Amino acid sequence: MKILPKFLVQCSLLVLIPAGANAAGTYYTGNYQSPQSRYTQKSYASTRSTNYSSQGVSSYNQQQYANAGYTTNRNMRQQNSRNQQSQGQTQRASATTNTNKNGFYLEAGLSKQAAMWQFEMNESASILHYDNIDWAVFDVKGAYVFDAGSTKMQVNAGFKYGIQTGESTMVDDDITNGGYFITTWGEDEDGDGKIDTVLGDQTGHALSIGTSKDGTMMEFNAGFGLTDFFTWGRVKVTPSIGWRYLKYELETTNNYGVSIDTYNGEGGCITVDGETQCDPVLVAYDTAGNQIILTRNDNNEIELPSTGSYNFIDTNGTYYYDQPGVSHSYEVEWSGPYLALDMLYDINVNNYVNGYVELGLPGYSAIGDQPYRFDWAHPKSVEDEAGIGSAFHLGLGANWSTKITDAVSLSIGVTYDYYSVSDADAKTYLNEGYYTDLYNARLELYESEGHDEAYMLENDTIAQNIVQLEEDCPGWVCSASGEIESFYKSLGVRVGVNAKF
């Protein structure tokens, strides 16, 4: 048996109740005639009967008529109550389902976000990351909903601005991935200035920890969507497309670190119970300008060669450093198209929850400056890039809102963002003046000894390396394809105010 829908049951009641009221009113009209008037055998009895009946019926009819009136009025009041209740249910349903969404919506809020940014260089074996970035963010966004035929559409835009509160930690890690190549050591057996026998490589390792503060972030987006285009149960879903741009600036001060160069040739490292221990590189310079790397002998002692005359010994790339000023500064951008789904679930007339999922394919750009690197150019020392579609963005969010007036609501929620890119291209901008001055200084030294530039290029390793560097890095810009892997993530808690106009 099919069950009647609720609205059909209500319609049936509306039909039946007036019919019952009319029947009661028709029956108790006062025109009722007692059957006793038919008995006329005795005039006394007839008269008595008639008089009795007249009095009794009149009183009875008046009482019944009053009862009928009460019954009719009660039925009418019940009907009115049902009508009002039905109307209230209709109004609540209309308010709950937000059928009239046309108009302008504005939302503003404050959030606290914990974020992290990291990039890793594949060939250079370097990892740099900013941990526990604390953003205080103000955001504002608006949407305009309108009818386009039978479909509701909307245009929307948003803006965020954040400042870094407190202090966080930056770690510049050139140890974890094995360090960076410095040079190759070998023997020049025929005296032509070229290595004939390779002895081993010199590798640099550095680790520094600095303080990050006073950073800023900015974000904006613009999009177009189809309002409540489809439903999923009681959830209304709005798909949209748009463009999102995120930029943040971070810098480091009070950076403390150590640098150690090691040698993997014979006598450079030993293994003790599975642990590898390497001495820092020591280089001796003889009076002829030759460099000799010093290693441990069979007696586990470091000693100078038995032949030759040496001016000094250098620790090369092994030292401690303290950089009190700005040691690192970066400006990072993620920008590109996205596809989003916004979901709305009405709890009741005053409360609702909404969430969103966003997938983006942005491009990536990072420009960095390291002022203490005298061999790099400034203010742009490094630059990493990947075109639109090379990176990935996942954005998630959820909010609970409650109305304080018909047009204004309070909301509280959480946000999550994750950006990632692989195989971005890297550029390093060298300090041309530094290398040119170094080359000219070597040339002046050789010319003072009666040699020309050609002789220097045949015999001086430093001059040879500078010439090779300029050839490998045209315009003093070194490029590496697919060098960078980077990601940025943030998790936030947000409170806001929503209004409809």
Side-chain angles (χ1 to χ4, degrees):
M1 177 179 178
K2 293 184 178 180
I3 300 175
L4 285 174
K6 186 176 181 181
F7 74 93
L8 289 180
V9 174
Q10 292 174 346
C11 290
S12 300
L13 291 175
L14 291 175
V15 172
L16 292 175
I17 290 173
N22 290 334
T26 302
Y27 184 79
Y28 299 108
T29 61
N31 294 326
Y32 171 75
Q33 185 176 2
S34 174
Q36 295 180 20
S37 61
R38 299 176 184 177
Y39 299 98
T40 58
Q41 291 85 353
K42 294 180 179 181
S43 59
Y44 173 77
S46 177
T47 303
R48 183 180 179 184
S49 177
T50 302
N51 293 338
Y52 175 79
S53 297
S54 175
Q55 294 176 359
V57 171
S58 175
S59 176
Y60 175 78
N61 286 345
Q62 290 175 2
Q63 181 64 36
Q64 292 298 327
Y65 183 81
N67 291 341
Y70 172 77
T71 304
T72 303
N73 292 336
R74 182 178 62 183
N75 290 340
M76 292 178 66
R77 286 196 300 270
Q78 290 176 345
Q79 178 58 31
N80 290 338
S81 176
R82 291 190 182 95
N83 291 341
Q84 291 174 358
Q85 186 178 25
S86 176
Q87 183 179 4
Q89 291 173 349
T90 303
Q91 290 175 347
R92 287 195 296 273
S94 177
T96 301
T97 56
N98 293 312
T99 56
N100 184 20
K101 284 191 172 181
N102 287 8
F104 182 69
Y105 293 79
L106 184 64
E107 182 177 353
L110 295 173
S111 61
K112 199 74 168 176
Q113 296 182 7
M116 175 186 179
W117 176 54
Q118 173 177 307
F119 73 85
E120 182 173 353
M121 306 181 72
N122 298 322
E123 184 177 342
S124 299
S126 178
I127 305 173
L128 187 144
H129 48 94
Y130 285 81
D131 303 322
N132 302 317
I133 305 168
D134 192 357
W135 296 119
V137 182
F138 168 75
D139 69 81
V140 59
K141 53 187 175 181
Y144 180 71
V145 181
F146 59 95
D147 288 322
S150 60
T151 304
K152 285 188 180 295
M153 298 183 179
Q154 63 175 264
V155 290
N156 55 72
F159 175 80
K160 294 181 181 179
Y161 184 79
I163 58 174
Q164 187 179 3
T165 59
E167 297 180 350
S168 61
T169 301
M170 183 227 69
V171 177
D172 191 347
D173 178 3
D174 296 329
I175 291 180
T176 299
N177 286 343
Y180 46 91
F181 174 77
I182 300 294
T183 190
T184 297
W185 288 88
E187 293 181 349
D188 179 9
E189 298 174 351
D190 54 12
D192 62 356
K194 298 180 181 180
I195 293 178
D196 298 311
T197 302
V198 174
L199 300 177
D201 292 332
Q202 180 179 337
T203 303
H205 312 268
L207 179 68
S208 68
I209 300 175
T211 300
S212 172
K213 61 180 181 179
D214 300 330
T216 60
M217 65 91 72
M218 181 185 69
E219 179 180 346
F220 69 84
N221 73 285
F224 171 81
L226 302 176
T227 307
D228 298 344
F229 188 67
F230 61 92
T231 59
W232 179 27
R234 290 181 59 187
V235 178
K236 295 182 285 284
V237 182
T238 298
S240 63
I241 58 173
W243 189 276
R244 184 172 299 277
Y245 172 88
L246 170 65
K247 174 183 177 180
Y248 48 88
E249 296 180 2
L250 299 167
E251 67 177 26
T252 306
T253 57
N254 299 319
N255 190 45
Y256 301 90
V258 292
S259 174
I260 300 175
D261 281 6
T262 60
Y263 172 66
N264 64 1
E266 184 178 357
C269 300
I270 60 174
T271 300
V272 179
D273 295 332
E275 175 185 333
T276 300
Q277 301 177 356
C278 299
D279 290 318
V281 167
L282 297 176
V283 177
Y285 292 79
D286 64 14
T287 55
N290 297 315
Q291 303 175 35
I292 300 174
I293 189 168
L294 304 180
T295 58
R296 293 183 181 271
N297 55 27
D298 294 338
N299 296 323
N300 200 28
E301 299 173 340
I302 298 177
E303 61 179 2
L304 291 171
S306 57
T307 59
S309 177
Y310 299 93
N311 290 335
F312 63 91
I313 296 175
D314 185 21
T315 60
N316 262 212
T318 299
Y319 54 91
Y320 160 83
Y321 57 95
D322 174 358
Q323 301 169 334
V326 176
S327 60
H328 304 71
S329 65
Y330 291 92
E331 181 179 289
V332 186
E333 297 178 359
W334 305 82
S335 177
Y338 67 81
L339 172 66
L341 292 177
D342 289 86
M343 292 155 283
L344 176 67
Y345 177 83
D346 289 308
I347 300 174
N348 53 43
V349 69
N350 291 319
N351 297 275
Y352 62 91
V353 293
N354 68 289
Y356 69 87
V357 178
E358 179 179 312
L359 299 177
L361 296 174
Y364 169 79
S365 173
I367 297 176
D369 183 21
Q370 296 190 19
Y372 286 97
R373 286 293 301 261
F374 52 81
D375 55 333
W376 287 359
H378 308 290
K380 183 164 69 173
S381 303
V382 294
E383 182 178 20
D384 309 326
E385 289 183 321
I388 293 174
S390 300
F392 170 77
H393 170 227
L394 170 65
L396 301 173
N399 290 279
W400 170 75
S401 299
T402 184
K403 288 185 177 181
I404 55 177
T405 70
D406 289 341
V408 180
S409 301
L410 294 177
S411 66
I412 183 171
V414 294
T415 62
Y416 176 78
D417 286 285
Y418 180 81
Y419 291 82
S420 177
V421 66
S422 298
D423 300 327
D425 298 332
K427 291 182 179 179
T428 303
Y429 295 86
L430 302 178
N431 182 357
E432 179 181 358
Y434 166 77
Y435 290 102
T436 301
D437 291 345
L438 181 59
Y439 182 88
N440 291 334
R442 301 298 296 175
L443 180 58
E444 289 178 4
L445 177 63
Y446 278 91
E447 288 178 341
S448 66
E449 297 174 351
H451 303 293
D452 59 11
E453 186 174 7
Y455 178 86
M456 178 188 71
L457 292 176
E458 290 179 0
N459 297 277
D460 191 277
T461 303
I462 295 177
Q464 293 170 358
N465 289 339
I466 293 174
V467 172
Q468 186 64 49
L469 182 63
E470 186 177 10
E471 291 179 359
D472 294 339
C473 304
W476 299 100
V477 179
C478 300
S479 301
S481 300
E483 175 71 357
I484 302 296
E485 295 184 8
S486 179
F487 71 84
Y488 171 86
K489 59 182 179 180
S490 68
L491 177 64
V493 177
R494 178 184 179 278
V495 293
V497 178
N498 314 328
K500 178 185 178 182
F501 299 92

